[in-house]
């Protein structure tokens, strides 16, 4: 499970890409103590690197910081046409992640045990109720 819109610093670095690397979003892991520049993991070097050292660095964007996680509480996510052959699909809400700004994001688990966010759901069904 990747939480690309959630991280500890609340910032994501955006890179445009080069001839050898595709555009990407990378979590900001911290800040350089002397310059204040955002730092991201450089997997090639195995170390933190200033985002401004990359030739394709574009800008920073806000990310959510997780303030709390609460159980799904019996809620279900509903997609009108995401099931087999365009049929309806319902998945159990595993948990709600609460962002520092108060936004709640549902995370579901499918029959294979894969966890993903349910931001694209068409509706959320409360416990004990059916979709009208």
């Amino acid at each position: 499970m990747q939480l690309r819109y959630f991280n500890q610093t609340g910032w994501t670095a955006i890179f445009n890409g080069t001839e050898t690397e595709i555009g990407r979003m990378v979590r900001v892991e911290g800040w350089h103590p002397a310059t204040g520049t955002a730092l991201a993991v450089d997997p090639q070097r195995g170390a933190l690197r200033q985002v401004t050292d990359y030739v394709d660095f574009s800008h920073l964007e806000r990310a959510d910081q997780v303030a709390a996680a609460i159980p799904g509480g019996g809620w279900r996510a509903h997609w009108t046409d995401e099931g087999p052959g365009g049929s309806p699909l319902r998945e159990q809400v595993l948990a709600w992640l609460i962002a520092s700004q108060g936004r709640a994001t549902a995370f579901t688990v499918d029959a294979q045990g894969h966890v993903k966010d349910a931001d694209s759901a068409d509706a959320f069904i409360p416990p004990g109720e059916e979709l009208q």
Side-chain angles (χ1 to χ4, degrees):
M1 175 174 73
Q2 180 182 5
L3 301 176
R4 67 177 162 158
Y5 296 115
F6 289 91
N7 67 45
Q8 291 179 326
T9 65
W11 291 94
T12 301
I14 308 299
F15 297 90
N16 292 327
T18 64
E19 290 181 12
T20 59
E21 186 124 26
I22 62 170
R24 62 212 178 278
M25 297 172 64
V26 178
R27 287 191 315 243
V28 170
E29 301 292 342
W31 310 98
H32 189 281
T35 65
T37 304
L39 300 171
V41 172
D42 181 339
Q44 309 298 0
R45 292 183 183 176
L48 291 175
R49 184 174 170 190
Q50 295 183 66
V51 296
T52 53
D53 288 348
Y54 292 88
V55 296
D56 64 333
F57 171 68
S58 173
H59 63 282
L60 297 179
E61 287 185 4
R62 282 238 173 259
D64 285 327
Q65 292 175 291
V66 176
I70 57 175
W75 284 77
R76 291 165 288 151
H78 172 83
W79 290 267
T80 304
D81 57 2
E82 295 291 320
S87 64
L89 173 68
R90 289 189 183 156
E91 292 180 349
Q92 195 72 31
V93 174
L94 175 67
W96 298 89
L97 291 186
I98 311 302
S100 58
Q101 286 92 6
R103 186 173 70 94
T105 299
F107 279 83
T108 60
V109 60
D110 65 16
Q112 292 77 36
H114 298 118
V115 176
K116 65 178 188 270
D117 72 64
D119 282 344
S120 65
D122 297 311
F124 289 98
I125 306 168
E129 292 187 21
E130 291 302 318
L131 191 63
Q132 302 298 331

